[in-house]
Amino acid sequence: MTAGFVLKPKDTIKLKETFLKIKKVFESRNIEVLIDSVSAKAIGLLGVEFNDMCEAADFLVALGGDGTLISLARRSYKFNKPILGINAGNLGFLTDINPDNIEEFIDKFLNGEYRIDERMVIEVEYKDKKLYAFNDIVISKEVISSMIHIRVDTNESYLNTYYGDGLIVSTPTGSTAYNLSAGGPVVYPLTEGFVLTPICPHSLTQRPLILPSNFVLEIEVKENFAKLVIDGQEIYNLDEKIKVKKALNPAKLIHRVERNYFDVLRKKLHWGDGK
């Protein structure tokens, strides 16, 4: 069995000791460890090119936080490999394995005591390219002093024209990210659907909307100074219509059997404090 590692970019050097400890645990269980060349170079090791690593690995490992896992899920999408998130910071919505209990988890993992959650992914067609988003896509204005018109059509009919600072199209997984900050709903991550949340709309009647995952959305911005942001990590100038739909394959996340999404929500959002 082979595992392919990616380390959090901003803290790669700090994570060297943690990575080497985890590597030792994996190898003691006969799991070969590969590390992508960018992460490896930062900590003075030999690595493997990202695509080659994804091709060779049976599963991928994001060592860092939710952002590291989100980036890995998007970049490795075409390889359709399950991803294990090891949390190297604060408790995340996605990374629930702690380096201190990695031995216990890996022993259970090798005995088949784990689960794989399948999360919906967004596919965006833009300028003959296919882009993938694990959390969300954001259509945003570039000029602070101006608002933008965003027309949304579905495969059934014209839906709406949003006028304001922008629009978030989120997956259920991404509902607890920018969508939540913008006033959108929390959606159980294993459901499927698009969450459309306007950003600072000019009209207060423009409210968040949840659409079925089998809808195909066409989104067009009237102005020529808009940006398309993928998972908060990739930015494109938006000067053409985009098509948004559910991607063919889901992202597959490896979790502890005991993991409970509502426990995470209560801890992260401080639900039930004082009860």
Side-chain angles (χ1 to χ4, degrees):
M1 183 176 289
T2 302
F5 274 74
V6 170
L7 278 55
K8 182 178 180 180
K10 293 182 180 179
D11 292 329
T12 308
I13 296 175
K14 295 179 182 179
L15 290 174
K16 181 177 181 178
E17 184 177 339
T18 301
F19 167 72
L20 293 176
K21 174 184 174 183
I22 296 171
K23 181 174 183 288
K24 185 176 180 180
V25 171
F26 276 46
E27 291 176 340
S28 70
R29 272 76 171 172
N30 294 317
I31 302 174
E32 181 184 3
V33 172
L34 303 177
I35 180 172
D36 88 287
S37 55
V38 175
S39 298
K41 183 177 180 180
I43 58 176
L45 299 177
L46 291 177
V48 180
E49 289 299 320
F50 181 81
N51 286 348
D52 294 336
M53 181 192 74
C54 292
E55 189 70 44
D58 295 293
F59 67 101
L60 303 174
V61 183
L63 177 57
D66 283 355
T68 308
L69 189 149
I70 290 166
S71 174
L72 177 57
R74 186 179 65 256
R75 293 173 61 206
S76 68
Y77 175 78
K78 66 181 180 180
F79 297 98
N80 198 29
K81 299 293 177 73
I83 300 173
L84 172 65
I86 301 180
N87 181 34
N90 298 320
L91 173 70
F93 279 106
L94 303 170
T95 53
D96 64 322
I97 308 300
N98 190 291
D100 294 333
N101 58 30
I102 192 65
E103 288 193 61
E104 177 186 359
F105 174 77
I106 288 300
D107 288 338
K108 289 183 177 181
F109 175 74
L110 293 174
N111 286 326
E113 298 177 42
Y114 66 95
R115 75 169 197 253
I116 292 182
D117 289 352
E118 295 189 344
R119 305 290 186 95
M120 174 183 158
V121 174
I122 290 174
E123 179 181 294
V124 181
E125 293 182 13
Y126 177 55
K127 290 188 174 181
D128 298 323
K129 294 181 180 179
K130 288 187 178 180
L131 309 172
Y132 295 95
F134 181 78
N135 254 11
D136 55 41
I137 68 167
V138 177
I139 294 91
S140 176
K141 65 178 186 176
E142 185 177 31
V143 181
I144 295 177
S145 60
S146 300
M147 291 189 285
I148 53 177
H149 294 81
I150 304 170
R151 178 186 170 109
V152 180
D153 291 89
T154 75
N155 48 312
E156 292 194 353
S157 65
Y158 165 67
L159 174 64
N160 194 7
T161 297
Y162 297 93
Y163 182 50
D165 287 354
L167 177 69
I168 304 166
V169 182
S170 168
T171 64
T173 298
S175 69
T176 50
Y178 191 10
N179 167 75
L180 184 60
S181 298
V186 176
V187 182
Y188 189 71
L190 300 186
T191 57
E192 292 188 345
F194 297 103
V195 185
L196 277 64
T197 301
I199 305 169
C200 298
H202 183 262
S203 171
L204 295 180
T205 62
Q206 302 281 11
R207 311 306 299 168
L209 176 68
I210 299 176
L211 296 175
S213 63
N214 62 348
F215 272 36
V216 177
L217 309 179
E218 287 194 348
I219 302 176
E220 185 175 18
V221 180
K222 177 180 178 182
E223 293 76 11
N224 60 0
F225 48 78
K227 296 289 185 181
L228 171 64
V229 185
I230 307 291
D231 283 340
Q233 298 174 343
E234 296 179 7
I235 303 176
Y236 301 86
N237 291 320
L238 187 57
D239 52 14
E240 287 187 14
K241 183 185 296 185
I242 62 172
K243 182 178 290 187
V244 177
K245 61 183 179 180
K246 172 190 167 185
L248 180 62
N249 296 315
K252 297 181 289 189
L253 305 187
I254 301 171
H255 287 297
R256 295 176 295 115
V257 173
E258 305 86 359
R259 174 184 166 86
N260 184 297
Y261 177 69
F262 298 110
D263 288 343
V264 177
L265 276 182
R266 284 192 294 272
K267 291 178 182 177
K268 291 288 285 184
L269 303 181
H270 306 288
W271 287 359
D273 281 0
K275 298 293 184 181

